[in-house]
Amino acid sequence: MSGPRIRPGSRAEVGRVIWGFSRIAGLVSGTRPPALFLVLGRHRRLFWGWLRFAGRLMPGGKLPRRESELVILRTAHLRDCAYEFTHHVRLGRRAGLGREDIRRIQEGPDAPGWGPRERALLAAVDQLEDKRDLDEAAWKRLREHLDEPATIEFLLLVGHYQMLATTIGTLRLEPDPRRGGRPRG
């Protein structure tokens, strides 16, 4: 790979606020400023709208953080999006996911050890990825665990991370290197 198709913007290209925000985000995550922020930041107005929407889903959503991270990691795994997967492994660990959980996320909803709610969430992610819809059985299992607002949020969360995986893959973004230069993972 020759690098990203749209290179991360400089301070002049993304503006001081996005530049500073990206640097802080990198400090918090232990990486360089996130390439995703500096690429999307080239369209400043869209960047802020996207960031507000994304923040309403995670971390500001109704789903518990651990479950949001399960959903995001499963989506990133199914989409083969190393950038998002690597980033959200760290966030997932902060939200209570252990190494065994991360392994089982990659194995899927049928892996031993998931509770009924986790299994329903992961199975719904798989079906949304595979069919872009939920059959009646999957819908019923999901609704046994989520009320209407949480169900809407779940669907938007999966769709949002599918969109991000497509964008990241098409842009050819690699996982953000650790501050020492090594890729996270």
Side-chain angles (χ1 to χ4, degrees), residues 58 64-75 84 87-93 95 97 105 157 161:
M58 196 286 303
R65 280 296 303 277
R66 184 178 188 282
E67 291 177 359
S68 293
E69 293 301 336
L70 285 172
V71 168
I72 293 165
L73 285 164
R74 185 64 181 163
T75 302
E84 279 302 325
H87 180 69
H88 281 276
V89 162
R90 180 190 48 79
L91 295 177
R93 286 187 177 140
L97 296 175
I105 287 167
L157 183 67
Y161 279 89

Side-chain angles (χ1 to χ4, degrees), residues 72-137:
I72 293 165
L73 285 164
R74 185 64 181 163
T75 302
H77 172 72
L78 292 173
R79 288 291 179 108
D80 197 27
C81 185
Y83 186 100
E84 279 302 325
F85 194 85
T86 301
H87 180 69
H88 281 276
V89 162
R90 180 190 48 79
L91 295 177
R93 286 187 177 140
R94 284 186 185 171
L97 296 175
R99 289 187 190 277
E100 183 61 18
D101 295 317
I102 304 299
R103 185 198 62 75
R104 285 185 301 145
I105 287 167
Q106 294 171 55
E107 193 175 325
D110 294 329
W114 295 128
R117 181 176 167 114
E118 295 165 325
R119 191 176 308 280
L121 294 172
L122 293 169
V125 170
D126 283 18
Q127 198 168 113
L128 287 167
E129 179 63 29
D130 185 46
K131 300 184 188 295
R132 307 292 186 262
D133 193 9
L134 295 177
D135 63 26
E136 292 306 315

